[in-house]
């Protein structure tokens, strides 16, 4: 994980670095730091905690300079403290490095470097890179000196730096996005990528380096995406790229397609709350231009598949992680029900190392809000490697997954800042529902049935808006159970994914343990957890399995467990049995999960507030999980 930035040009480097890091905080926020070259020395400022804390320090002790690098950390090796914060300085202060990724063989390298006299100041895997580069710079300097004496040659300084860095990189096993500063060469910075995304922003007399495009918005609209094994040699006025095997590569400068987005709270106390309230609009945006009412179907511009290829699809794999995986589960129900295409939903972290039999008529969809999740990226790369078409369902347009997939669908949910995914989840569910309609209408689903589904789609935004009005009632429920240490979330069929998602939301932002289960499975084990201190949240809309879920609800009540029921408006029966009832508007059974999840998002939000948790940046998490 972690976010890295770099700058070289005529601006005050720290200013861009801090702003860039703020925009990358979704990648981790355990610590933050910058290094700037100032009057022949690399000066570092770093601190545990958020970019705001770093900014505070820089205000009292400014780091002037026109070349610098910065980092916001999600701890992997070593706890979140000042020493483990990046940048790390190598040798006797000759180089500074910021790193995103994991170095798997760091322990052996560290031993070797310590044996050679290098002094380590942190427990991180990243510090070995700094010392290794310093050591390779020494070796290269000695080689250069010997050659120059022998042949009277003038040294190409940048070429020597590149050789030294390549020598160091060749010894690393793992993944890296790196930005490197050299004390004795303040006019140049080197960036390198293997497995962790990295971009270079091109300005008139300046260059920027960043983990993704977001920090560049507003600074430049020209961007170069580095590929694995590429290394960028960046000065204020030049950009050269070399590939480990291919040598010099012509930089392909693209037009930056992101803006910094709306990152203001707009009167809300937290981004999560704002994003929960944005759902009616984000659902409208996900549908915009994609409903073909005349033909009772959906349309997608970017699938990049011919009608023949689409109609020959016999199996679909949906893959993703966390909340995106939950959206996939709902997608499975919808696609199988409407389009009758067999669907499998795979954790991307499992799919990438499994070797499932996948035939030529299988389509693979990667679902990811950020488009940067390492496991999801790994899974689609593996599928591509074996010759399969991969499509992305992503929110972030210029993301790695969006770029590497053969085609796909953007969510258009707008930037999601709160670490807990809310509006992206409902937009993913909406997109999968449209996809299900699309495939269904290519096969057997009749015009009338398609029209009815579209009618339901069109009602969703307003009904989601009405579901938001449960907030006060949900707050009351959150207060009532604020001392509970465990929750069960139970739902069935279309609302089994809703139960999983509700439980995940509570866990991640309020740190209260919660289990999501298919309601009927409860009696095969989890019912042993039921007692007076363990509330069960039942999602029990009317429909095919209503009576069955009600029976499960009664079973919990019979064992003294408190029950909170999320029901459709006017459901008197559930109200008589449950301790607390949250009524939401009704829509068709298959789309009801998009409404039902709203009070569960709000329940997690209010529970987190009552426990004084940091709603938008929960402990130990990051918005984008770019390590395995
Ligand atoms: C939970 C949450 C995570 C993400 C998961 C995948 O609220 O946000 O579980 O869903 O890390 O992230 P993306 O969708 O960016 O691939």
């Amino acid at each position: 994980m972690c976010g890295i930035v770099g700058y070289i040009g005529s601006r005050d480097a720290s200013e861009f670095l801090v702003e860039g890091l703020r925009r990358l905080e979704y990648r981790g926020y355990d610590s933050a730091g910058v290094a700037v070259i100032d009057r022949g020395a690399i000066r570092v400022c770093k601190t545990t905690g958020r970019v705001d804390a770093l900014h505070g320090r820089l205000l009292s002790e400014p780091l002037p300079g026109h070349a610098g690098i910065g980092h916001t950390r999600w701890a992997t090796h070593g706890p979140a403290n000042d020493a483990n914060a990046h940048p790390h300085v190598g040798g006797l202060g000759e180089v500074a490095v910021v790193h995103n990724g994991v170095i798997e063989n760091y322990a052996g390298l560290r031993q070797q470097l310590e044996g050679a006299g290098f002094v380590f100041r942190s427990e991180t895997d990243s510090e070995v890179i700094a010392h290794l580069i310093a050591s390779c710079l020494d070796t290269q300097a000695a080689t250069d000196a010997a050659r120059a004496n022998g042949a009277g040659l003038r040294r190409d300084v940048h070429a020597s730096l590149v050789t030294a860095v390549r020598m160091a990189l060749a010894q690393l096993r793992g993944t890296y996005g790196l930005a490197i500063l050299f004390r004795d060469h303040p006019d140049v910075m080197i960036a390198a990528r293997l497995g962790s995304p990295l971009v270079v922003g091109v300005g008139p007399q300046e260059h920027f380096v960043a983990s993704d495009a977001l920090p560049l918005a507003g600074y430049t609209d020209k961007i170069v995406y580095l590929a694995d094994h590429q290394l960028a040699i960046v000065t204020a006025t030049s950009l050269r790229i070399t590939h480990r095997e291919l040598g010099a590569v012509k930089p392909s400068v693209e037009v930056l397609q992101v803006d910094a987005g709306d990152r203001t709270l707009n009167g809300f106390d937290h981004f999560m709350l704002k994003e929960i309230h944005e759902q009616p609009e984000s659902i409208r945006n996900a549908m915009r231009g994609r409903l073909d009412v005349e033909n009772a179907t959906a349309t997608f511009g970017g699938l990049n598949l011919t009608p023949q290829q689409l109609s020959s699809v016999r199996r679909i794999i949906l893959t993703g992680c966390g909340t995106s995986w939950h959206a996939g589960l709902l997608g499975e129900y919808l696609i199988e029900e409407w389009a009758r295409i067999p669907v499998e939903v795979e954790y991307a972290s499992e799919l990438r190392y499994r070797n499932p039999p996948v035939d030529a008529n299988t389509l693979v969809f990667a679902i990811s809000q950020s488009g940067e999740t390492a496991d999801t990226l790994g899974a689609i790369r593996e599928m591509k490697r074996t010759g399969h078409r991969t499509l992305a369902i992503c929110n972030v347009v210029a993301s790695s997954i969006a770029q590497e997939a053969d085609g796909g669908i953007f969510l258009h949910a707008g930037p999601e800042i709160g670490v807990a995914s809310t509006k992206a989840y409902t937009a993913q569910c909406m997109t999968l529902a449209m996809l299900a309609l699309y495939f269904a209408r290519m096969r057997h689903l009749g015009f009338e049935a398609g029209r009815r589904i579209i009618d339901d789609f069109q009602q969703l935004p307003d009904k989601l808006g009405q579901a938001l009005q449960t907030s006060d009632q949900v707050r009351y429920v959150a207060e009532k159970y604020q001392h509970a240490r465990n929750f069960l979330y139970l739902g069935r069929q279309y609302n089994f994914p809703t139960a999983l998602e509700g439980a995940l939301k509570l866990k991640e932002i309020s740190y209260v343990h919660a289990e999501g289960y298919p309601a009927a499975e409860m009696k095969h084990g989890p019912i042993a957890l039921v007692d007076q201190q363990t509330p069960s949240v039942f999602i029990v809309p009317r429909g095919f399995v209503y009576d069955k879920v009600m029976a499960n609800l009664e079973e919990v009540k019979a064992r003294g467990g408190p029950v909170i029921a999320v029901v459709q408006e006017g459901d008197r029966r559930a109200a008589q049995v449950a301790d607390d009832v949250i009524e939401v508007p009704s829509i068709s059974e298959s789309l009801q999960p998009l409404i039902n999840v709203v009070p569960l998002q709000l329940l997690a939000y209010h529970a987190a507030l009552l426990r004084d948790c940091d709603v938008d940046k929960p402990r130990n998490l990051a918005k984008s999980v770019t390590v395995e």
Side-chain angles (χ1 to χ4, degrees):
M1 323 246 274
C2 310
I4 67 177
V5 281
Y7 177 78
I8 190 156
S10 54
R11 292 174 202 258
D12 176 49
S14 300
E15 220 175 282
F16 165 75
L17 298 177
V18 168
E19 176 54 25
L21 291 179
R22 272 193 218 291
R23 297 186 197 175
L24 289 179
E25 251 188 333
Y26 74 91
R27 289 172 166 266
Y29 37 79
D30 288 334
S31 61
V34 294
V36 172
I37 301 195
D38 178 26
R39 286 162 291 163
I42 292 177
R43 295 178 58 205
V44 176
C45 176
K46 54 188 190 176
T47 178
T48 315
R50 310 278 159 87
V51 176
D52 271 347
L54 173 70
H55 188 212
R57 282 208 180 175
L58 285 168
L59 286 178
S60 51
E61 299 159 35
L63 285 190
H66 303 291
I69 55 179
H71 188 271
T72 177
R73 178 170 187 246
W74 185 80
T76 57
H77 298 65
N81 59 30
D82 287 6
N84 290 333
H86 299 217
H88 292 292
V89 173
L92 297 173
E94 301 93 301
V95 290
V97 165
V98 285
H99 169 225
N100 171 28
V102 170
I103 302 305
E104 290 161 9
N105 60 335
Y106 85 101
L109 289 171
R110 181 174 177 141
Q111 216 175 19
Q112 198 180 301
L113 287 158
E114 280 176 334
F118 287 90
V119 179
F120 280 73
R121 293 169 191 87
S122 79
E123 296 157 78
T124 64
D125 55 336
S126 310
E127 194 181 353
V128 297
I129 307 174
H131 291 304
L132 201 54
I133 294 173
S135 147
C136 293
L137 282 172
D138 286 348
T139 312
Q140 186 58 27
T143 312
D144 285 343
R147 277 206 199 128
N149 285 342
L153 295 171
R154 223 178 117 251
R155 286 192 312 154
D156 174 349
V157 176
H158 290 182
S160 295
L161 295 181
V162 170
T163 309
V165 170
R166 282 253 180 251
M167 228 190 283
L169 297 184
Q171 297 177 58
L172 303 178
R173 212 173 56 231
T175 54
Y176 51 77
L178 288 171
I180 310 157
L181 277 185
F182 305 89
R183 182 192 59 199
D184 303 331
H185 307 284
D187 62 323
V188 66
M189 177 188 309
I190 289 184
R193 168 186 166 150
L194 178 61
S196 300
L198 208 54
V199 302
V200 180
V202 181
Q205 296 287 314
E206 60 187 349
H207 283 99
F208 309 84
V209 171
S211 293
D212 65 34
L214 216 48
L216 309 186
Y219 289 93
T220 175
D221 62 357
K222 295 191 185 69
I223 185 167
V224 176
Y225 293 90
L226 294 187
D228 280 351
H229 299 298
Q230 284 187 349
L231 196 143
I233 304 106
V234 187
T235 71
T237 52
S238 69
L239 167 64
R240 282 190 301 129
I241 296 179
T242 67
H243 184 278
R244 192 180 62 181
E245 275 106 36
L246 308 173
V249 174
K250 190 167 180 285
S252 154
V253 184
E254 296 180 29
V255 177
L256 182 62
Q257 287 190 355
V258 292
D259 56 34
D262 180 4
R263 296 178 163 263
T264 51
L265 282 164
N266 275 352
F268 287 94
D269 289 339
H270 298 95
F271 282 106
M272 181 184 181
L273 189 63
K274 176 183 174 226
E275 286 153 11
I276 290 173
H277 279 82
E278 281 171 350
Q279 291 180 106
E281 199 47 37
S282 51
I283 288 290
R284 270 190 204 100
N285 290 340
M287 282 192 277
R288 186 158 294 131
R290 289 176 173 156
L291 297 185
D292 176 357
V293 181
E294 213 168 290
N295 294 301
T297 187
T299 67
F300 300 102
L303 293 181
N304 300 337
L305 292 173
T306 63
Q308 286 77 8
Q309 284 171 316
L310 285 164
S311 59
S312 64
V313 171
R314 294 281 168 270
R315 180 181 171 218
I316 289 177
I317 294 179
L318 303 174
T319 190
C321 304
T323 287
S324 296
W325 184 80
H326 295 161
L329 286 181
L330 180 64
E332 176 181 25
Y333 282 96
L334 297 174
I335 296 170
E336 290 195 340
E337 181 74 27
W338 295 348
R340 313 299 301 153
I341 301 174
V343 177
E344 277 151 64
V345 187
E346 298 267 2
Y347 282 116
S349 53
E350 291 297 310
L351 181 63
R352 64 183 299 188
Y353 294 122
R354 276 182 57 208
N355 186 17
V358 180
D359 67 21
N361 295 328
T362 300
L363 254 191
V364 182
F365 282 90
I367 309 170
S368 174
Q369 187 286 127
S370 61
E372 299 294 349
T373 301
D375 284 320
T376 312
L377 190 56
I380 62 163
R381 281 185 181 154
E382 177 61 12
M383 288 290 126
K384 278 181 75 150
R385 193 191 58 76
T386 49
H388 294 96
R389 285 198 77 84
T390 57
L391 299 175
I393 296 178
C394 280
N395 196 31
V396 179
V397 173
S399 59
S400 305
I401 292 173
Q403 292 194 46
E404 293 205 18
D406 299 310
I409 308 170
F410 289 116
L411 301 177
H412 299 311
E416 192 179 64
I417 315 286
V419 162
S421 186
T422 52
K423 65 175 179 173
Y425 174 69
T426 42
Q428 287 166 340
C429 294
M430 186 67 236
T431 303
L432 287 160
M434 290 188 291
L435 203 59
L437 172 64
Y438 177 71
F439 279 118
R441 288 285 291 134
M442 288 192 91
R443 289 166 166 73
H444 59 273
L445 194 81
F447 182 86
E448 273 311 312
R451 271 301 255 280
R452 275 197 300 277
I453 290 175
I454 289 188
D455 283 350
D456 288 336
F457 284 174
Q458 287 170 330
Q459 290 178 36
L460 260 172
D462 288 347
K463 299 216 166 174
L464 260 158
Q466 290 161 28
L468 292 169
Q469 290 162 19
T470 57
S471 189
D472 288 345
Q473 200 188 345
V474 173
R475 189 187 314 121
Y476 164 80
V477 172
E479 279 167 7
K480 182 169 169 186
Y481 297 105
Q482 65 175 300
H483 300 298
R485 297 298 306 130
N486 296 291
F487 276 70
L488 287 173
Y489 281 71
L490 302 158
R492 222 170 151 179
Q493 299 280 299
Y494 298 114
N495 283 292
F496 161 49
T498 319
L500 295 181
E501 179 59 8
L504 178 61
K505 290 293 90 107
L506 188 72
K507 272 188 274 221
E508 66 178 327
I509 62 165
S510 73
Y511 320 143
V512 171
H513 174 249
E515 293 250 17
Y517 251 88
E521 272 292 306
M522 173 202 61
K523 56 188 174 294
H524 299 290
I527 198 164
L529 295 171
V530 169
D531 63 17
Q532 286 172 358
Q533 279 72 51
T534 305
S536 293
V537 179
F538 271 89
I539 303 126
V540 54
R542 291 192 200 92
F544 181 55
V545 288
Y546 177 81
D547 288 333
K548 295 175 193 304
V549 181
M550 279 304 293
N552 300 139
L553 190 156
E554 301 266 12
E555 286 155 15
V556 168
K557 279 302 301 173
R559 285 156 182 82
V563 166
I564 303 154
V566 176
V567 302
Q568 286 170 324
E569 53 208 347
D571 182 342
R572 300 281 158 260
R573 183 172 157 201
Q576 276 166 12
V577 194
D579 297 86
D580 295 280
V581 167
I582 299 162
E583 289 195 9
V584 292
S586 303
I587 199 156
S588 63
E589 199 179 345
S590 41
L591 297 180
Q592 191 67 44
L594 279 87
I595 308 284
N596 292 345
V597 77
V598 172
L600 304 187
Q601 295 168 339
L602 289 166
L603 182 60
Y605 174 77
H606 290 302
L609 281 191
L610 288 162
R611 297 172 65 81
D612 223 7
C613 297
D614 187 339
V615 171
D616 285 334
K617 292 197 173 97
R619 73 180 178 206
N620 303 341
L621 291 174
K623 185 72 186 152
S624 174
V625 184
T626 57
V627 290
E628 281 198 61

